[in-house]
Amino acid sequence: MKTVVIGVIGADVHAVGNKIIDYVLSENGYNVVNIGVLSSQEDFINAAIETDAKAILISSLYGHGEIDCRFMREQCEEAGLDKVKLYVGGNIVVGKQDFNDVEKRFKKMGFDRVYPPGVKIEQALVDLKEDIGI
Amino acid sequence: MKTVVIGVIGADVHAVGNKIIDYVLSENGYNVVNIGVLSSQEDFINAAIETDAKAILISSLYGHGEIDCRFMREQCEEAGLDKVKLYVGGNIVVGKQDFNDVEKRFKKMGFDRVYPPGVKIEQALVDLKEDIGI
Amino acid sequence: MVKNEKLTMEEFLRIRKEILQGWPTGSHPALELDEAVKRLKSVPPHKNFALKLRKAKEQGVTLIQPRAGVARLDEHIELLQYLEKEGRADFLPSTIDSYTRHNRYENAEDGIRESDKQGRSLLNGFPAVNHGVDGCTKVYKNINVPIQARHGTPDARLLSEIICASMWTSNEGGGISYNIPYAKTIGLEDTIKYWQYVDRLVGYYYEQGIELNREPYGPLTGTLVPPSISNTVAIIESILAAEQGVKNITVGYGQGGNVVQDIAALKALEEQTNHYLKLFGYEDIFITTVFHQWMGGFPSNESDAMGLISFASTVAALGNATKMITKTTHESQGVPTKEANAQGLRASKMVVNLLKGQRMPDSKEIEEEINQIKKEVDSLIHAVVKAGKGDIAQGAVNAFKRGLIDIPFAPSEMNNGKVLPARDIEGKIRILELGCLAFTDEIKEFHHQKLAERAKIQNRKISIQMTIDDIYAISEGVLVGTEKG
Amino acid sequence: MVKNEKLTMEEFLRIRKEILQGWPTGSHPALELDEAVKRLKSVPPHKNFALKLRKAKEQGVTLIQPRAGVARLDEHIELLQYLEKEGRADFLPSTIDSYTRHNRYENAEDGIRESDKQGRSLLNGFPAVNHGVDGCTKVYKNINVPIQARHGTPDARLLSEIICASMWTSNEGGGISYNIPYAKTIGLEDTIKYWQYVDRLVGYYYEQGIELNREPYGPLTGTLVPPSISNTVAIIESILAAEQGVKNITVGYGQGGNVVQDIAALKALEEQTNHYLKLFGYEDIFITTVFHQWMGGFPSNESDAMGLISFASTVAALGNATKMITKTTHESQGVPTKEANAQGLRASKMVVNLLKGQRMPDSKEIEEEINQIKKEVDSLIHAVVKAGKGDIAQGAVNAFKRGLIDIPFAPSEMNNGKVLPARDIEGKIRILELGCLAFTDEIKEFHHQKLAERAKIQNRKISIQMTIDDIYAISEGVLVGTEKG
Ligand code: B12
Ligand code: B12
């Protein structure tokens, strides 16, 4: 059973999607470590180290995702998490923006997968299976 | 008291605006000759000749205005109506079009005043006063 | 004198022969009745208007349909496909252009030619007669939902023949509703006869085992029409259709703006249509209702228009209409683009979907308004029957002549044209000038009271200015007009 | 232990001194109370939130207000002016950014700086504390309608001081409603105290002859919150505010989607808030209601969103809410552009204008739903009072601890987090998993019955999957979720 860390980054309290992600990934055979809302980069990284997680799924809904995610990849590497997959999804920037641009920005920041608003976790399951198996 | 001919041109049966125009112009001191809906260019011209009208106010709502109004100015001239003012208003072309273009096209056809959708007759009174007095 | 009597087959065939000669496309082989029957029998249930309506009624849902039509065949097909896919339309229309409506097929031909030349539609609709059976069949084949002709044609006999043979399974119109609001000098007797023919054609197909839908056109002039007047016309046309053998009828009503009155009108319409059909001896007619989103002058701002469209959808769903005709954000400007049309559809669809199964609860207020409308309709129908000495067709002709029925703002000279509607203070449509309307004194007094109340609250006189203010009101974003200072 | 007792002036001033030191902008001279009073007294009635609400209530109209806020001052002013002019907003907001909500003024400062650099807002709202009294006063001066701070700030004491001194005449929030849905580890006792302070400030100004409006935040997590739960929180917060001297309170409710339930909830909310305030001895409190357009996940298609927005407006108007908070077509995507925001406002305005004076008629069905909601609220309030041995503040803290009140999907660890809502077959929000909710057995049975009915009709089990399907449902264009095959 593969472990994934999920949570909502920054000063973000959007809890609904997080609860659903927890439920759906668990139902689909993952060991889900849910650090919940209002989580810092350190919280994600510590949880991933402690549980030997194969992927970190960051949610950001409230718009500050771009600020909150800066240097996340670098922090992971510094902490020795150099193989962990980094996913980000939700409403990760402020406002309705062209998603191609947004994806590029986040990929450049070192994220492996970037999801546009409204992509349900059910749809991302395929990618997760492909990237880390079950 | 100045006479104006009003009516709705072509196969157009939109009667509501026509009835209001009749009422408002009459209330404002014009002698209104209303030839009603489904009127041809000849109907307008004949009415104008018979009543010595100073202006012809053509309504076209249903979209065929551009076809129905072709050569109206020429027909007027042929009938000896060379001083009559020609107004057109309503929804005079098919679809939502840039009104500047539309106005140009109708002015080129010899219309003196061209009105966009939604201009109420109350607003056109000023022009009429300026052009032919009361 | 026209009578409410079923056309004999002989008579029908005699007229038919003549009709088909009205334009070259009338000679298409598919217009052999046997051939047309064969074609119609090939229509699968999901593309049959009548059957899809039966299903919708059973499920209690409100389905949606746009208006749409352009001059050129391929562009028209593309438009309809777009509305089906992007707009999620449950039914598709072909709105017919105004030349065709006046049987001016030469003008329509010109329009097509000119449109081809300019690469854009110069006609305000689809010239179905000119495109003929081949064109109309191509339209039918390229969509996946039932299709209907929507027009405003006093004499739609040739048009109706062509669309039926092209497997279009519904046709809008009626001898009154496609005359009084859509013509000026055509006799009512004539148009009733024309539409008896159209209904007889549908009746004929029914005898061959094919159920087609007919839809009397409800909103009439679309402008402050009091519900009892439009409901009365719908009931008369239903009876006329039933006599000719039509079995599947959709009666229509155009949104007035007051929620209580609109829902009451829809209920009264359905109940009284059923009631009067039975009373006149037509037992097995299947009745559904169609609600038209606001038919009068629209606001020009597109968000305002979206608000109005969605508000109308709420009323249609809560009022349990089986079908709703949608408007678009371009309404005040001109024939909509396909995108604007689809947007109106989607917003409407969203609302009726969310309201699936939700109904306006029964209440005393609605009950009272239903009773008021029914009383008025009874009064009008009574007068019509009397004016026809028992015959509803004759009665209709005479009633219009004498102004016993009178449709506000209609262009037709067959209409008395004396009635002036205005809203009461709640926005319900009442009648300010009653003309010769066949109302009882009690009803007349009711209307007067209601407008006196408004006059008092608005501190103004009861006058035609009220009517004018009300005509402008919705496009200016209010329901009840007020005097401008 | 926190108690529902008015802060003494002494205590208030002591805390105040501390609070104002939280960030450099707290030292602005306008934050001298005398100076602030003088400023607030200069606010003309049409820019006073409390007074404009009184007038609206009297006239029976529904006024509209957007959410809006960006990082940079001038851009924020431009945004508000646009919404006033193009959107016809009756009230303006300043939605505060999330860093400020968590008192992270350094982060907010960063955000402003970064936004300046990039020339676009990188914050999700207006950082009012950082902009301080000068910035906020500039906002106030550049608009012509009342303005309110809208946020989600557990400790909004400094923020509240600054906005009041800047002549913002309303403030949203409460010790429960701005904690449980907006925080994770902050104690409920603490936030109730923080908000007692905010209310005391408003009470202080009232003593100086200045009426300000306060608005407990109604929709909570915005996600399938059963009306009785949100109404209970609103009532508790109203009592807490009244004790501190607040006189003008707007209680809120977020659209659920079933028209009958929504209108019943609004009525029950107003009646029970008034009832309980009197019962607890607060006599002269002026209560209005605010209806929030759908607060859960929005559809991504913009026409769908317009449909939903306008449908919500219909309900707000028919339900006679005094105010409505509007959404936009960008809701599912991100903070809206000013254009999108204005479009949502205009569509909403159109609908409430057309419905001016129109009401949902009284009916048995609505009456029954009102009674159901009231019964549930009574049951919850009873438990709260008991849990606090008569003190509602203590009671609230204990009730949340024991799960007697429990808000679905809330992030806070102070919340029991056991309750799972789901819709019944009509789309009314019921409770599937009751957790420790303080409901009588009769009420519990009612909810179970309703969901059993849905399970039977949908041929599925009562399970959390219902809840999940319902969470997705509206954004997918239906009200009641169904199992995907
Ligand atoms: C009511 C209405 C109808 C009623 C008309 C009833 C009747 N017999 O009068 C019915 C339902 C029957 C109808 C039918 C049709 N209609 Co129609 N109708 C409307 C609607 C909704 C309102 C018109 C109205 O009464 N407005 C209120 C009056 C007071 O305003 P008005 O007519 O604009 O007139 C005022 C001003 O424009 C101005 N004015 C008018 N003429 C002139 C002239 C001058 C010189 C001046 C200065 C001012 C002026 O002053 C008037 C008074 O203030 C409009 C759309 C809209 N505006 O919202 C569509 C509209 C006009 N119809 C349209 C169409 C296409 C049709 C139909 C072909 C098809 C259909 N959709 O069913 C048929 C055509 C029938 C025919 N042969 O003519 C289109 C025209 C499209 C275009 N131009 O691109 C419109 C714009 C709707 C749309 N967007 O598709 N319609
Ligand atoms: C409900 C809601 C709230 C509730 C949240 C209650 C709670 N505590 O959970 C309340 C009302 C409290 C709230 C508050 C705020 N909100 Co809010 N909120 C929403 C709303 C309407 C729905 C969110 C939701 O629950 N959706 C349903 C769930 C199931 O979907 P989801 O969250 O999107 O998650 C799914 C997918 O995105 C995906 N997913 C999510 N994360 C990830 C990660 C990965 C790796 C993958 C693969 C997939 C994935 O899977 C999830 C399950 O399928 C959205 C707009 C919308 N979507 O319609 C706005 C929205 C997210 N909120 C927004 C904002 C700005 C705020 C506020 C700042 C201000 C405000 N408007 O009041 C505060 C912020 C508070 C804070 N500090 O965080 C903005 C964000 C703007 C932006 N990004 O540009 C939005 C987009 C609205 C808007 N357009 O302005 N909000």
Side-chain angles (χ1 to χ4, degrees):
Chain A
M1 215 185 206
K2 299 284 166 54
T3 298
V4 294
V5 173
I6 69 167
V8 187
I9 200 166
D12 193 338
V13 300
H14 289 89
V16 183
N18 173 258
K19 285 177 203 264
I20 292 188
I21 294 174
D22 191 339
Y23 178 80
V24 172
L25 293 186
S26 303
E27 286 285 293
N28 280 277
Y30 289 96
N31 178 37
V32 178
V33 177
N34 186 356
I35 61 171
V37 303
L38 289 169
S39 296
S40 65
Q41 295 192 359
E42 292 68 44
D43 296 336
F44 279 99
I45 291 169
N46 292 339
I49 293 175
E50 273 168 34
T51 62
D52 189 27
K54 298 287 171 264
I56 297 177
L57 274 63
I58 299 181
S59 292
S60 175
L61 280 300
Y62 73 151
H64 295 184
E66 213 169 341
I67 302 185
D68 295 333
C69 290
R70 277 190 295 189
F71 310 118
M72 178 67 187
R73 175 55 79 188
E74 289 79 354
Q75 297 289 332
C76 284
E77 278 165 5
E78 221 160 88
L81 280 175
D82 38 344
K83 284 217 197 86
V84 75
K85 292 281 168 192
L86 279 184
Y87 285 28
V88 65
N91 302 70
I92 59 179
V93 292
V94 172
K96 187 169 186 166
Q97 299 185 23
D98 178 43
F99 185 69
N100 285 327
D101 283 1
V102 173
E103 189 175 19
K104 249 182 245 153
R105 297 210 293 272
F106 277 81
K107 288 237 160 136
K108 216 168 143 192
M109 285 159 68
F111 283 85
D112 299 292
R113 304 257 186 195
V114 186
Y115 297 89
V119 162
K120 300 201 297 189
I121 187 63
E122 287 85 342
Q123 296 164 260
L125 267 173
V126 198
D127 297 338
L128 198 59
K129 243 178 249 176
E130 190 183 309
D131 288 352
I132 64 162
I134 302 195
Chain B
M1 213 187 209
K2 301 283 165 55
T3 298
V4 295
V5 173
I6 69 167
V8 188
I9 199 165
D12 193 338
V13 300
H14 289 89
V16 182
N18 173 259
K19 284 176 203 262
I20 293 188
I21 294 173
D22 191 338
Y23 178 81
V24 173
L25 293 186
S26 304
E27 286 285 294
N28 280 278
Y30 289 97
N31 178 37
V32 178
V33 177
N34 186 357
I35 60 171
V37 302
L38 287 169
S39 296
S40 65
Q41 295 192 358
E42 292 66 45
D43 296 336
F44 279 99
I45 291 169
N46 292 339
I49 293 176
E50 272 168 35
T51 61
D52 189 27
K54 298 287 171 264
I56 298 177
L57 275 62
I58 299 180
S59 293
S60 176
L61 281 299
Y62 73 151
H64 296 183
E66 211 168 341
I67 302 184
D68 295 333
C69 289
R70 276 189 296 190
F71 309 119
M72 177 70 186
R73 174 57 77 189
E74 288 79 353
Q75 297 289 331
C76 284
E77 277 165 6
E78 221 160 88
L81 281 175
D82 39 342
K83 285 216 195 89
V84 75
K85 293 279 169 192
L86 279 184
Y87 285 27
V88 64
N91 302 68
I92 59 179
V93 291
V94 172
K96 187 169 186 168
Q97 299 184 25
D98 177 44
F99 184 69
N100 285 327
D101 283 2
V102 174
E103 189 174 19
K104 249 180 245 155
R105 297 210 292 273
F106 277 82
K107 288 237 159 135
K108 216 167 143 191
M109 285 159 67
F111 283 85
D112 298 293
R113 302 257 186 195
V114 187
Y115 297 88
V119 162
K120 300 200 298 187
I121 188 64
E122 286 86 343
Q123 295 164 260
L125 267 172
V126 197
D127 297 338
L128 197 60
K129 242 177 249 175
E130 191 181 309
D131 288 352
I132 64 163
I134 303 195
Chain C
M1 194 65 182
V2 63
K3 286 203 158 188
N4 181 32
E5 268 172 18
K6 188 165 183 175
L7 263 75
T8 63
M9 196 60 197
E10 238 184 336
E11 178 74 356
F12 171 68
L13 290 175
R14 193 189 56 74
I15 304 174
R16 191 163 195 272
K17 211 164 146 191
E18 212 174 277
I19 287 305
L20 295 182
Q21 284 161 17
W23 189 251
T25 52
S27 64
H28 193 282
L31 286 164
E32 295 298 324
L33 278 173
D34 290 351
E35 180 58 24
V37 165
K38 226 167 70 194
R39 291 173 138 242
L40 277 168
K41 284 202 166 162
S42 77
V43 175
H46 73 278
K47 288 182 81 172
N48 180 309
F49 222 101
L51 302 185
K52 190 162 179 176
L53 280 166
R54 279 188 186 268
K55 202 167 143 197
K57 173 98 187 171
E58 210 173 278
Q59 298 176 333
V61 294
T62 301
L63 301 182
I64 61 171
Q65 182 180 18
R67 287 192 183 77
V70 290
R72 295 176 301 159
L73 181 60
D74 290 339
E75 194 188 338
H76 185 64
I77 290 172
E78 196 192 306
L79 168 61
L80 295 188
Q81 288 177 332
Y82 188 86
L83 299 179
E84 181 186 329
K85 191 158 165 281
E86 298 300 320
R88 305 182 176 181
D90 299 299
F91 296 112
L92 286 169
S94 289
T95 300
I96 308 300
D97 74 288
S98 289
Y99 292 139
T100 302
R101 292 170 184 220
H102 291 271
N103 312 97
R104 300 192 193 169
Y105 309 122
E106 312 254 6
N107 285 160
E109 201 68 33
D110 262 8
I112 299 175
R113 218 175 300 122
E114 192 66 19
S115 302
D116 274 336
K117 216 160 57 187
Q118 299 202 20
R120 64 184 173 102
S121 181
L122 286 170
L123 294 182
N124 59 12
F126 178 74
V129 170
N130 295 62
H131 287 304
V133 174
D134 287 333
C136 293
T137 302
K138 189 170 174 192
V139 172
Y140 163 80
K141 288 208 167 141
N142 277 284
I143 54 172
N144 302 301
V145 300
I147 179 165
Q148 176 189 46
R150 302 188 68 84
H151 36 128
T153 311
D155 179 2
R157 291 174 296 178
L158 178 55
L159 172 65
S160 303
E161 288 285 0
I162 288 175
I163 62 152
C164 285
S166 307
M167 293 166 283
W168 296 16
T169 43
S170 180
N171 193 4
E172 193 197 37
I176 302 166
S177 62
Y178 268 11
N179 176 341
I180 308 296
Y182 284 102
K184 185 165 156 182
T185 54
I186 306 179
L188 193 52
E189 234 188 291
D190 295 333
T191 52
I192 290 180
K193 279 185 189 157
Y194 301 153
W195 280 90
Q196 283 179 323
Y197 176 91
V198 171
D199 287 330
R200 186 65 185 83
L201 176 64
V202 172
Y204 169 79
Y205 285 124
Y206 188 78
E207 290 160 16
Q208 311 307 311
I210 298 154
E211 185 170 330
L212 301 177
N213 172 255
R214 278 275 296 112
E215 179 181 335
Y217 169 64
L220 304 175
T221 54
T223 306
L224 301 178
V225 180
S228 58
I229 295 181
S230 52
N231 284 7
T232 298
V233 172
I235 291 167
I236 296 172
E237 292 191 348
S238 297
I239 292 170
L240 293 172
E243 171 65 25
Q244 303 300 325
V246 176
K247 300 293 184 189
N248 189 305
I249 300 175
T250 306
V251 281
Y253 170 76
Q255 179 184 29
N258 176 287
V259 177
V260 167
Q261 187 177 45
D262 285 337
I263 287 177
L266 267 174
K267 286 209 169 184
L269 176 59
E270 183 168 356
E271 288 172 12
Q272 285 190 309
T273 304
N274 278 308
H275 165 76
Y276 277 109
L277 279 170
K278 290 218 179 77
L279 192 73
F280 279 78
Y282 309 104
E283 284 291 345
D284 51 351
I285 319 290
F286 179 73
I287 298 296
T288 45
T289 55
V290 52
F291 184 82
H292 293 251
Q293 296 181 348
W294 176 244
M295 288 293 290
F298 241 67
S300 62
N301 177 285
E302 300 199 358
S303 306
D304 290 359
M306 271 298 208
L308 180 50
I309 285 168
S310 311
F311 163 43
S313 305
T314 309
V315 178
L318 291 178
N320 199 13
T322 308
K323 191 175 81 171
M324 172 169 64
I325 306 291
T326 61
K327 288 252 168 171
T328 81
T329 55
H330 286 187
E331 177 63 15
S332 77
Q333 302 295 312
V335 171
T337 58
K338 62 179 192 301
E339 291 81 12
N341 208 332
Q343 282 160 18
L345 279 163
R346 290 224 33 160
S348 302
K349 189 81 184 175
M350 182 74 190
V351 175
V352 296
N353 273 355
L354 292 179
L355 285 164
K356 201 173 278 176
Q358 296 192 46
R359 296 284 170 273
M360 185 62 132
D362 292 332
S363 65
K364 211 180 111 227
E365 209 179 320
I366 290 188
E367 176 98 21
E368 276 171 10
E369 193 61 30
I370 292 178
N371 289 341
Q372 179 64 31
I373 294 169
K374 284 189 173 177
K375 231 188 298 183
E376 295 179 12
V377 167
D378 287 339
S379 184
L380 294 175
I381 295 270
H382 181 86
V384 171
V385 175
K386 212 171 136 195
K389 298 190 175 129
D391 185 278
I392 196 120
Q394 271 187 40
V397 174
N398 293 334
F400 270 94
K401 205 173 284 163
R402 291 163 49 196
L404 305 176
I405 304 187
D406 188 349
I407 298 172
F409 310 111
S412 173
E413 291 169 3
M414 310 306 128
N415 191 55
N416 198 31
K418 289 280 177 292
V419 162
L420 281 180
R423 295 186 185 278
D424 68 17
I425 195 66
E426 293 172 290
K428 293 179 181 132
I429 298 171
R430 308 295 183 196
I431 306 175
L432 185 147
E433 172 52 57
L434 288 145
C436 308
L437 265 191
F439 277 170
T440 61
D441 287 347
E442 183 200 338
I443 297 172
K444 288 182 185 169
E445 181 53 25
F446 173 82
H447 285 267
H448 179 72
Q449 282 299 331
K450 285 291 175 184
L451 292 169
E453 189 190 6
R454 167 175 171 188
K456 196 171 159 208
I457 293 173
Q458 288 193 336
N459 190 22
R460 64 188 292 180
K461 274 188 253 148
I462 300 185
S463 89
I464 184 178
Q465 193 60 44
M466 271 189 183
T467 309
I468 294 179
D469 293 341
D470 287 351
I471 288 174
Y472 287 141
I474 284 196
S475 64
E476 291 171 352
V478 293
L479 188 59
V480 185
T482 49
E483 272 174 319
K484 313 281 159 357
Chain D
M1 193 65 181
V2 63
K3 286 203 158 188
N4 182 32
E5 268 171 17
K6 188 165 182 175
L7 263 76
T8 62
M9 196 61 196
E10 238 183 339
E11 178 73 354
F12 171 68
L13 291 175
R14 193 190 55 72
I15 304 175
R16 190 164 196 274
K17 213 164 146 191
E18 213 173 276
I19 286 305
L20 295 181
Q21 284 162 15
W23 188 252
T25 52
S27 64
H28 193 283
L31 286 164
E32 296 297 324
L33 279 172
D34 290 352
E35 180 57 24
V37 166
K38 226 168 69 195
R39 292 172 139 244
L40 278 167
K41 285 202 166 163
S42 77
V43 175
H46 73 278
K47 288 182 80 171
N48 180 307
F49 223 100
L51 302 185
K52 189 161 179 177
L53 281 166
R54 279 187 185 268
K55 203 168 143 197
K57 173 99 189 172
E58 210 174 276
Q59 297 175 335
V61 295
T62 302
L63 301 182
I64 61 172
Q65 182 181 19
R67 289 193 181 77
V70 289
R72 294 174 303 159
L73 181 60
D74 288 340
E75 194 189 337
H76 185 64
I77 290 172
E78 197 190 304
L79 169 61
L80 296 188
Q81 287 177 332
Y82 188 87
L83 298 179
E84 181 186 330
K85 192 157 165 280
E86 298 300 322
R88 307 183 175 181
D90 299 298
F91 295 111
L92 286 170
S94 289
T95 300
I96 307 302
D97 74 287
S98 288
Y99 292 138
T100 302
R101 293 170 184 220
H102 291 271
N103 311 99
R104 300 192 193 170
Y105 309 121
E106 311 254 8
N107 286 158
E109 200 69 32
D110 261 7
I112 299 174
R113 217 175 300 123
E114 192 65 18
S115 302
D116 273 337
K117 215 159 57 185
Q118 300 201 21
R120 64 184 171 102
S121 180
L122 287 170
L123 294 182
N124 60 12
F126 178 74
V129 169
N130 295 61
H131 287 302
V133 174
D134 287 333
C136 293
T137 301
K138 189 169 173 193
V139 172
Y140 163 80
K141 289 208 166 140
N142 277 285
I143 54 172
N144 302 301
V145 300
I147 181 166
Q148 176 190 45
R150 302 188 69 84
H151 35 128
T153 310
D155 179 1
R157 292 174 296 177
L158 177 55
L159 173 66
S160 303
E161 288 285 358
I162 287 176
I163 62 152
C164 285
S166 306
M167 294 165 282
W168 296 17
T169 44
S170 179
N171 193 3
E172 194 198 36
I176 302 166
S177 63
Y178 268 12
N179 176 340
I180 308 296
Y182 284 102
K184 186 166 156 181
T185 53
I186 306 180
L188 194 53
E189 233 187 291
D190 294 333
T191 53
I192 290 179
K193 280 185 188 157
Y194 301 153
W195 280 90
Q196 283 179 324
Y197 177 92
V198 172
D199 287 328
R200 186 64 185 83
L201 177 65
V202 172
Y204 169 80
Y205 284 125
Y206 187 79
E207 288 158 14
Q208 313 306 311
I210 298 154
E211 185 169 330
L212 302 178
N213 173 255
R214 278 273 295 114
E215 179 182 335
Y217 168 64
L220 305 175
T221 54
T223 305
L224 301 178
V225 181
S228 59
I229 295 181
S230 52
N231 283 8
T232 297
V233 172
I235 290 166
I236 297 173
E237 292 191 347
S238 296
I239 292 170
L240 293 172
E243 171 65 24
Q244 303 301 324
V246 176
K247 300 293 183 190
N248 189 304
I249 299 175
T250 304
V251 279
Y253 170 76
Q255 179 184 27
N258 175 287
V259 177
V260 167
Q261 187 177 45
D262 284 338
I263 288 177
L266 267 173
K267 286 211 166 181
L269 176 59
E270 183 167 357
E271 289 172 14
Q272 285 189 309
T273 304
N274 278 308
H275 165 77
Y276 277 110
L277 280 170
K278 291 219 177 76
L279 192 74
F280 280 78
Y282 309 103
E283 284 292 343
D284 51 351
I285 318 291
F286 179 74
I287 298 296
T288 46
T289 54
V290 52
F291 184 82
H292 293 250
Q293 296 181 347
W294 175 245
M295 288 293 289
F298 242 66
S300 61
N301 178 284
E302 300 199 359
S303 305
D304 290 359
M306 272 299 209
L308 179 51
I309 286 168
S310 311
F311 163 43
S313 306
T314 310
V315 178
L318 290 178
N320 198 15
T322 308
K323 191 174 81 170
M324 172 169 62
I325 305 293
T326 60
K327 287 254 167 169
T328 81
T329 56
H330 285 187
E331 177 63 15
S332 77
Q333 302 296 311
V335 171
T337 57
K338 63 180 192 300
E339 291 81 11
N341 208 333
Q343 283 161 17
L345 279 162
R346 291 223 33 159
S348 303
K349 189 81 184 174
M350 182 75 190
V351 175
V352 297
N353 273 356
L354 292 179
L355 284 164
K356 203 173 277 176
Q358 296 192 46
R359 295 283 171 274
M360 184 61 131
D362 292 332
S363 65
K364 212 181 110 224
E365 208 180 320
I366 290 187
E367 177 97 21
E368 276 172 10
E369 193 61 31
I370 292 178
N371 288 341
Q372 179 63 31
I373 294 168
K374 284 189 172 176
K375 231 189 296 185
E376 296 179 12
V377 168
D378 286 340
S379 184
L380 294 175
I381 295 269
H382 181 85
V384 171
V385 174
K386 212 172 136 193
K389 297 189 174 130
D391 186 277
I392 196 122
Q394 272 186 41
V397 174
N398 293 333
F400 270 95
K401 204 174 287 161
R402 292 163 46 197
L404 305 176
I405 305 186
D406 188 349
I407 297 173
F409 310 111
S412 172
E413 291 168 3
M414 310 304 128
N415 192 54
N416 197 30
K418 290 279 178 292
V419 162
L420 281 181
R423 294 187 186 277
D424 68 18
I425 195 66
E426 293 172 290
K428 294 180 179 132
I429 298 171
R430 306 296 182 195
I431 306 175
L432 185 147
E433 171 54 57
L434 288 145
C436 308
L437 266 189
F439 277 170
T440 61
D441 287 346
E442 182 200 338
I443 296 172
K444 288 182 186 170
E445 181 52 25
F446 173 82
H447 284 268
H448 179 72
Q449 282 299 331
K450 284 291 175 184
L451 291 169
E453 188 189 8
R454 167 175 172 190
K456 197 171 157 208
I457 292 173
Q458 288 193 334
N459 189 22
R460 64 188 293 180
K461 274 187 252 150
I462 300 186
S463 87
I464 183 179
Q465 193 60 45
M466 271 188 183
T467 309
I468 294 180
D469 293 342
D470 287 352
I471 289 174
Y472 287 142
I474 285 194
S475 64
E476 291 171 353
V478 293
L479 188 59
V480 185
T482 49
E483 272 174 318
K484 313 281 159 358

